[in-house]
Amino acid sequence: MRHQVVPVRHGTMRERNLAVVLGEISRRQPVSRARLADATGFTKTTVSSLVATLAGAGLVREDGPVRDGERGRPATAVSVNGDRVAGLGLEINVDYLAACVLDLGRRIRHRHLVAANNRGRAPERVIAGLTSLAERAIAAAGDQGLSVAGAVVALPGVLDRRGGRLRSAPNLGWSDVAAGELLNAGLPPLPLAADYDNEANLGALGELWFGDGPELGSYIHVSGEIGIGAGIVVDGRVFRGAHGFAGELGHVVVDPGGAPCACGGRGCLEQVAGQEAILRAAGMAETTATSSASPDGPLSALVARLEAGDERALAAVRRAGESLGQALATAVNLLDPDTIVLGGIFSGLAPWARPAAEAALAGGAGVVRRSPPRVTVSRLGGDAAALGAASLVVERVLDDPAILVSQAAGTAT
Amino acid sequence: MRHQVVPVRHGTMRERNLAVVLGEISRRQPVSRARLADATGFTKTTVSSLVATLAGAGLVREDGPVRDGERGRPATAVSVNGDRVAGLGLEINVDYLAACVLDLGRRIRHRHLVAANNRGRAPERVIAGLTSLAERAIAAAGDQGLSVAGAVVALPGVLDRRGGRLRSAPNLGWSDVAAGELLNAGLPPLPLAADYDNEANLGALGELWFGDGPELGSYIHVSGEIGIGAGIVVDGRVFRGAHGFAGELGHVVVDPGGAPCACGGRGCLEQVAGQEAILRAAGMAETTATSSASPDGPLSALVARLEAGDERALAAVRRAGESLGQALATAVNLLDPDTIVLGGIFSGLAPWARPAAEAALAGGAGVVRRSPPRVTVSRLGGDAAALGAASLVVERVLDDPAILVSQAAGTAT
């Protein structure tokens, strides 16, 4: 019985080689063709031909001369071209829509966040709003000479990526939405088909590229507001599980026999440490309903009470932190990350929630590993997921440049 | 800021190409050089040269003629050579030592399990026993014309793979053992350096190759006896986490505020569903001490009571199954596998523990995913981890044949 695992393969050797050379350029830039030949094992002729193809598609460019260490002769350096191709990241959230454009060097070229009350609005109407945001972003990119290769959309809910459906986004009041179909119909046509992922995964990717970066190692990024999600990043890639449902930290049970959860379980983390649960425990349940239309209304009211030393608010947030730490201890025992990043509501609540979270984490996950993982606080703002989404487009182009290359060739003929 | 993820790279293009061709041969065998050229994009000349190198190292061989579908002309087929190179899997467990030899086709060529009471024995003495088992296995392989490329050892404990140390193996009474050093000193020299991993990970790999195979998809394999571990397999590879500590299912908290655990936490799964906890709950605590030297003494006594309908034993195992299901629900929410495989003590207890486990799993992990993962029972015996260990050696040779090729070349000159 043999069943070797099949690695991801590109269609042809030339497509694979284009990806190999572009990968080396993006890691070593600026880099001479001679060093690229050393690094890849290709002949200099092959390297030159591949570089010419990538340059023709606007993916790399020649910079000034570099001096090759040993040989001393100046050579022309090749770098990723940050001025021709871009990725578009979009985000639908409860209180806002966001768009951002990154060039291939992951510089932010356009960033737009529009407050919007999307609760209970029909998916078609929300996506129409997103379409106009996307069109403005693509126009803004065009004004800078950038051509958008593709778009990824961050959605706040449980996605069935195989079926192309958004199963549920309780805070939007959506269930079983044909997200893939609606987005592909609603967004402007781009070389790469529109894709989507949940905001927990994309927010975690945003942290990799615009937060603390590679020093995070493998990490769990806690996100979410009313719900609690986690994005798991291993070796720079999101770990999604078999069906895209990995990272449901909000449904880790921290209080068996506790309050019933919409998921069918009892005592899930969300029931203790989700935004509404914290506000209720802090005696602020009514605040939620009245100020829910403003992006961070109830949360900033909570922070004000915490700063004022309100005992009930402090106790509620400590309790939430402790439960979060318990759930994270379980996640650490199963996933063994280097770092935990507190994002979502927990970044704002960190001064009060983090000590309890760290204590619970150390108690539950300290001995097997000797030391619990480092806990950091996200410094990214509301559109972290949109940044992560645009990064994912850039990653796809760098991983598989052939799609843009063949389109460039098609245009030329 | 740029920090592209660096993929695993082989040293030179030829080394990489050898791996590509061997991978295609192992997936498509028997396969003609013409089809290999199609599949890899290499020229037929390059394919022929790579195949000749692999054949020279005993990794592939020519079979009889195959008929190429479209062209109709018979061609010589190439296959992985199962008769020259082998992998050695070894296992140190509380009650036994095991060795097995697999050829490159993963056929079992030698399998040897020796009962031994290793509790409290010095690591050096246990490894001396393992050395003699390894020597006999290598001799047995040699008698069949097989040359052993490397060995992997399964250990029942928490490993720090970066530091080369076995941090603790409580059931052996070992802590902080320089496992890497002792094994490399104790085992016969082989082309690949001796490596080791914990029995949960290697038992899980055994399941992939000798149990239900690829139909498992991504899965969590529950193992362990006194402790409870889990091997997580994603896309055919073990998911180890940042430091090799992933899969500590036994320390998922199922009863906050429950019995204290050696890990420093309270109410860990092991404290409810580990072998000793079950025996205690079944009123069989004394049995453990007296019959612990026999491989499955206390467990077979428990099974006898279950078969006889002993109410206390049935309740203890149901409770264990329920807690296991709770912990697995948490693991499913975080990892989203296709399948759960019950191994270790739970394979023998499955008729009584599984219904409660499945009910708890459905309650805690059913709604987000719509359906909980399939639960299967391992059919592998005691040396599953040794089989997984030998498989890992085979996997390494197929992934990177260059190490054996250069040694073969070195021998020839």
Side-chain angles (χ1 to χ4, degrees):
Chain A
M1 184 182 55
R2 295 225 26 133
H3 29 81
Q4 178 80 16
V5 177
V6 183
V8 177
R9 298 197 59 250
H10 298 272
T12 69
M13 182 161 87
R14 187 162 178 85
E15 289 176 8
R16 200 167 56 217
N17 292 351
L18 285 168
V20 167
V21 167
L22 183 55
E24 292 296 340
I25 293 169
S26 82
R27 273 187 292 279
R28 297 166 189 265
Q29 63 185 333
V31 58
S32 69
R33 289 175 177 73
R35 287 186 71 90
L36 283 173
D38 286 350
T40 59
F42 300 145
T43 63
K44 261 193 82 171
T45 313
T46 303
V47 166
S48 291
S49 154
L50 293 167
V51 166
T53 303
L54 292 169
L59 298 169
V60 304
R61 69 163 158 232
E62 296 196 1
D63 292 327
V66 284
R67 198 163 284 279
D68 262 0
E70 318 78 41
R71 307 179 198 174
R73 285 183 297 124
T76 309
V78 182
S79 298
V80 170
N81 187 346
D83 293 321
R84 288 278 300 279
V85 175
L88 172 61
L90 298 165
E91 182 177 358
I92 294 174
N93 221 311
V94 178
D95 298 310
Y96 63 86
L97 296 175
C100 74
V101 173
L102 297 181
D103 65 31
L104 287 194
R106 285 195 172 81
R107 279 171 301 176
I108 300 173
R109 295 302 197 100
H110 173 79
R111 194 172 188 176
H112 192 186
L113 191 144
V114 184
N117 184 356
N118 294 321
R119 287 165 220 258
R121 285 180 79 197
E124 290 77 7
R125 287 193 53 202
V126 174
I127 287 172
L130 196 70
T131 303
S132 80
L133 223 64
E135 282 165 353
R136 289 166 67 171
I138 291 168
D143 290 345
Q144 298 171 66
L146 291 165
S147 161
V148 172
V152 167
V153 184
L155 297 170
V158 176
L159 302 171
D160 181 349
R161 289 174 57 84
R162 286 191 192 168
R165 301 187 81 80
L166 175 64
R167 284 200 175 168
S168 78
N171 305 329
L172 290 170
W174 295 1
S175 71
D176 227 359
V177 171
E181 212 174 291
L182 285 173
L183 292 168
N184 267 307
L187 296 178
L190 295 169
L192 301 171
D195 200 0
Y196 56 95
D197 201 344
N198 76 52
E199 54 97 22
N201 289 340
L202 294 172
L205 268 189
E207 203 61 43
L208 176 63
W209 293 102
F210 298 94
D212 282 342
E215 70 189 57
L216 294 170
S218 298
Y219 60 95
I220 297 175
H221 176 260
V222 182
S223 66
E225 301 176 5
I226 293 150
I228 297 176
I232 301 162
V233 178
V234 179
D235 295 335
R237 306 266 164 171
V238 174
F239 178 88
R240 292 186 170 82
H243 319 87
F245 303 146
E248 288 288 343
L249 189 70
H251 299 289
V252 169
V253 175
V254 292
D255 181 18
C261 181
C263 82
R266 280 185 164 276
C268 293
L269 177 64
E270 279 184 15
Q271 299 304 315
V272 183
Q275 178 173 305
E276 290 187 352
I278 295 175
L279 292 172
R280 215 164 32 235
M284 298 171 67
E286 286 120 56
T287 326
T288 326
T290 52
S291 61
S292 61
S294 106
D296 44 22
L299 208 64
S300 56
L302 175 63
V303 167
R305 290 203 192 186
L306 292 165
E307 284 170 343
D310 180 305
E311 277 305 328
R312 198 167 166 194
L314 289 167
V317 171
R318 267 198 304 270
R319 167 93 204 279
E322 190 188 347
S323 297
L324 176 65
Q326 275 175 41
L328 285 171
T330 289
V332 167
N333 281 321
L334 291 171
L335 293 161
D336 183 26
D338 291 296
T339 314
I340 305 284
V341 183
L342 299 182
I345 57 166
F346 297 104
S347 64
L349 300 177
W352 304 277
R354 182 174 164 173
E358 286 188 319
L361 187 58
V367 172
V368 171
R369 296 169 37 119
R370 295 271 162 100
S371 63
R374 208 159 48 95
V375 176
T376 67
V377 178
S378 172
R379 291 172 287 130
L380 295 184
D383 62 349
L387 289 168
S391 281
L392 200 54
V393 178
V394 171
E395 186 180 307
R396 287 181 185 165
V397 171
L398 295 177
D399 278 357
D400 190 5
I403 173 91
L404 296 183
V405 165
S406 35
Q407 301 218 347
T411 311
T413 52
Chain B
M1 184 181 58
R2 297 226 26 138
H3 29 79
Q4 178 79 15
V5 176
V6 183
V8 176
R9 297 198 61 248
H10 298 275
T12 69
M13 180 161 86
R14 189 163 177 84
E15 289 175 7
R16 201 167 55 214
N17 292 350
L18 285 168
V20 167
V21 168
L22 183 54
E24 292 295 340
I25 294 169
S26 82
R27 273 188 291 279
R28 295 166 190 265
Q29 63 184 331
V31 57
S32 68
R33 288 173 175 77
R35 285 186 73 90
L36 284 172
D38 285 349
T40 59
F42 301 146
T43 63
K44 263 195 81 170
T45 314
T46 303
V47 166
S48 291
S49 155
L50 294 166
V51 166
T53 304
L54 293 168
L59 297 170
V60 305
R61 71 164 158 230
E62 297 194 0
D63 292 326
V66 283
R67 197 164 283 278
D68 262 0
E70 320 77 40
R71 306 179 198 178
R73 285 184 295 124
T76 310
V78 182
S79 297
V80 169
N81 187 345
D83 292 321
R84 287 279 298 280
V85 174
L88 173 60
L90 298 165
E91 182 176 0
I92 294 175
N93 221 311
V94 178
D95 298 310
Y96 63 87
L97 298 174
C100 75
V101 173
L102 296 182
D103 65 32
L104 286 195
R106 285 195 172 83
R107 278 171 301 174
I108 299 171
R109 295 301 197 101
H110 173 81
R111 193 172 190 175
H112 192 185
L113 191 145
V114 183
N117 185 356
N118 294 322
R119 285 164 219 259
R121 286 181 76 197
E124 291 78 5
R125 289 193 52 205
V126 173
I127 287 172
L130 195 70
T131 305
S132 80
L133 222 63
E135 283 164 353
R136 289 166 69 173
I138 291 168
D143 291 345
Q144 298 172 68
L146 291 165
S147 162
V148 172
V152 167
V153 184
L155 296 170
V158 176
L159 303 170
D160 181 349
R161 288 174 57 85
R162 286 190 192 168
R165 301 187 79 81
L166 175 63
R167 285 199 171 170
S168 78
N171 305 330
L172 290 169
W174 295 1
S175 70
D176 228 358
V177 170
E181 212 174 291
L182 286 172
L183 290 169
N184 267 306
L187 295 179
L190 295 169
L192 301 171
D195 199 0
Y196 56 95
D197 201 343
N198 76 52
E199 53 98 22
N201 289 341
L202 294 171
L205 269 189
E207 201 61 42
L208 177 62
W209 294 102
F210 298 95
D212 281 342
E215 69 189 58
L216 294 170
S218 298
Y219 60 95
I220 299 175
H221 176 260
V222 182
S223 64
E225 299 176 5
I226 292 149
I228 297 175
I232 300 162
V233 178
V234 179
D235 295 335
R237 309 267 163 169
V238 173
F239 177 87
R240 292 186 171 82
H243 319 88
F245 303 147
E248 289 287 343
L249 188 71
H251 299 289
V252 169
V253 175
V254 292
D255 182 16
C261 179
C263 82
R266 280 185 166 277
C268 292
L269 177 64
E270 278 184 18
Q271 299 303 315
V272 184
Q275 178 172 304
E276 290 186 352
I278 296 175
L279 292 171
R280 213 161 39 234
M284 297 171 68
E286 285 119 56
T287 327
T288 324
T290 51
S291 61
S292 61
S294 105
D296 43 23
L299 208 64
S300 57
L302 175 62
V303 168
R305 290 205 193 184
L306 292 165
E307 284 171 342
D310 180 305
E311 277 304 328
R312 199 169 166 192
L314 289 168
V317 171
R318 266 198 304 269
R319 167 93 204 280
E322 191 187 347
S323 298
L324 176 65
Q326 274 175 41
L328 285 171
T330 289
V332 167
N333 279 322
L334 291 171
L335 293 160
D336 182 25
D338 291 297
T339 315
I340 305 284
V341 184
L342 300 181
I345 57 166
F346 297 104
S347 65
L349 299 177
W352 304 277
R354 181 174 166 174
E358 286 188 318
L361 186 58
V367 172
V368 173
R369 297 168 36 119
R370 296 270 160 101
S371 62
R374 209 159 46 96
V375 177
T376 67
V377 178
S378 171
R379 290 171 286 129
L380 295 183
D383 62 351
L387 289 169
S391 281
L392 200 53
V393 178
V394 170
E395 186 179 308
R396 286 179 185 167
V397 171
L398 295 178
D399 277 357
D400 191 4
I403 174 89
L404 297 182
V405 164
S406 36
Q407 300 218 349
T411 312
T413 51

